[in-house]
Amino acid sequence: MANIGVVGSISMDYVVSADRPVKIGQTIYGQDFKMNFGGKGANQAVAAAKLGGRVTMIGAVGLDQIGQSLINNLESYGIDCSSVKKVANQGSGAAVISLIDGDNSIIYVPGANQALGANDILALKLVFSKFDMILVQNETPEATVSQLIHLASLIKVPIIYNPAPARKFALDLLAKVNYITPNETEFVSIFETQNYEDVLSHYPNKILVTLGHQGVVYYDGHQLVQVPAYPVAEVVDTTGAGDTFNGALAVALSGGRNLHSAIQLANLAASLSIQKFGAQGGIPSLTELKASQHYSAID
C-alpha cells in the first residue's frame, strides 16, 4: 500500500440542481439542494484512499463545527488528518455548485484553505519525506504550492500537480514536477496555445491533458498518445471526475504501474464516478473498480 500525501483544499459543497441555467437578475425554481463534503484536495484524498492508498491530508479548516465535520468525514475513509491545520478566525472553505443537465459550474470561496502557508509546508518536511507520492492542486495559495514543489524536488519525492483552477505559474516549476494534469481549458490558460504537440513534445511523459469524454493525451517521447475514455451509458454528475482521475493516477503510479496503464486506470475510475451523484459519493472503491468489465483489459 503506497503512502500518498495530498496537499489541498478541504471544503463543504453546496449543490443546487436545476433544469436550466439562471440568468442575471432572474429567480428560478431548483430541483434539489444538497450539502456534500468537497474541496479538490479532499476529493483527491478520498479517491486515493478508496482506491487503495494510505493517505495523509495536509490542509486547513475553520475552528468550527463545519471544520470538524470535514475532518471527521476524511477520517471515516481512513485518511490521516493529524497534519490538517485548524484556523480560529476564518470559516472553512465552501463551493457553491450549480448542476444543470449533468454539467456543473462552481463558485469557490477558499476561507481557511488560504491559511495553509509556505512555512507550514517547510515545517512538515519530515512528514513529506515519508510519502511515495505527493498530490497538489490550485485551491491552495500560489506561494504554498511553489514551496511544496521545490521541497518535493529537494527530498526527491515524486509529485503530481493538478493546476485547477487554472492560474499562471512559473514554467521553471515544470522541471521540478513529475506530472502535471491540466484539462483542456487549463492547458490553454497556462500555455496560451491549443497546439498540444508543440508543447507536450518538450515535456515527454510529464504533461497529461485530460479531455473529458475524449480521454487523455500526452507525448511519450516519440509521438502524441491519446488514451481513450471509457464509454458511459448515462452521465449523472461530472463534479469530481477530475479529482477522481488524479487520486486514481497517484495510486496507480505510486503502486508501480507504467504511465499508460496508470492513465487507463484513472480514466476508468473517472468514468465510474460520473455515473453517481456527488464529488466524493461518486468515487468508486477499489472493489467496484476491479468489478468493471474494462478492468481486466488495462495494460
Side-chain angles (χ1 to χ4, degrees):
M1 185 181 292
N3 290 310
I4 298 171
V6 181
V7 179
S9 56
I10 309 169
S11 304
M12 188 66 78
D13 290 347
Y14 301 88
V15 186
V16 178
S17 300
D19 60 2
R20 66 186 188 278
V22 62
K23 299 177 181 178
I24 299 296
Q26 182 185 33
T27 299
I28 66 172
Y29 279 97
Q31 297 170 321
D32 194 20
F33 171 77
K34 287 184 173 68
M35 292 174 58
N36 296 321
F37 297 108
K40 296 192 75 62
N43 293 344
Q44 292 180 18
V46 170
K50 290 180 75 171
L51 291 168
R54 184 184 293 111
V55 181
T56 298
M57 184 77 216
I58 295 98
V61 298
L63 192 61
D64 52 24
Q65 186 174 357
I66 292 291
Q68 189 57 54
S69 67
L70 291 167
I71 289 176
N72 292 344
N73 171 64
L74 292 172
E75 290 180 338
S76 73
Y77 293 102
I79 296 170
D80 180 356
C81 292
S82 59
S83 297
V84 173
K85 183 177 179 180
K86 296 181 180 178
V87 183
N89 298 318
Q90 296 188 58
S92 297
V96 180
I97 301 172
S98 296
L99 187 61
I100 313 292
D101 291 332
D103 288 319
N104 64 76
S105 58
I106 302 172
I107 299 174
Y108 172 60
V109 182
N113 290 303
Q114 290 292 98
L116 185 70
N119 288 337
D120 295 312
I121 298 301
L122 289 175
L124 293 170
K125 180 178 179 179
L126 289 179
V127 174
F128 285 113
S129 67
K130 298 176 182 178
F131 297 142
D132 299 303
M133 181 72 71
I134 298 170
L135 182 55
V136 67
Q137 325 76 33
N138 274 350
E139 288 182 349
T140 299
E142 183 175 359
T144 307
V145 174
S146 295
Q147 182 64 75
L148 176 64
I149 291 172
H150 288 301
L151 178 62
S153 177
L154 178 67
I155 62 178
K156 301 188 185 308
V157 176
I159 185 168
I160 298 171
Y161 176 35
N162 175 222
R167 66 186 177 210
K168 295 295 181 182
F169 70 98
L171 291 182
D172 64 325
L173 287 177
L174 274 177
K176 296 187 176 183
V177 300
N178 298 81
Y179 307 98
I180 180 170
T181 57
N183 64 23
E184 187 173 17
T185 301
E186 292 154 0
F187 177 89
V188 172
S189 177
I190 293 167
F191 297 103
E192 299 180 340
T193 179
Q194 293 181 325
N195 187 338
Y196 298 135
E197 186 165 10
D198 184 51
V199 175
L200 271 57
S201 62
H202 290 87
Y203 303 98
N205 300 309
K206 180 178 293 237
I207 303 176
L208 317 177
V209 186
T210 60
L211 302 173
H213 69 277
Q214 295 180 17
V216 174
V217 64
Y218 70 100
Y219 188 80
D220 69 356
H222 303 284
Q223 61 184 353
L224 279 183
V225 176
Q226 187 155 357
V227 185
Y230 291 91
V232 174
E234 180 184 7
V235 176
V236 175
D237 182 4
T238 60
T239 309
D243 295 332
T244 300
F245 175 89
N246 280 277
L249 184 70
V251 172
L253 289 171
S254 58
R257 286 183 179 269
N258 63 49
L259 181 57
H260 191 272
S261 174
I263 293 172
Q264 288 180 308
L265 187 143
N267 277 349
L268 179 57
S271 75
L272 295 174
S273 76
I274 64 176
Q275 298 178 63
K276 294 182 181 179
F277 184 83
Q280 294 181 15
I283 297 168
S285 66
L286 183 58
T287 299
E288 290 172 321
L289 189 73
K290 290 182 175 180
S292 167
Q293 61 178 323
H294 303 291
Y295 182 82
S296 61
I298 293 177
D299 297 341

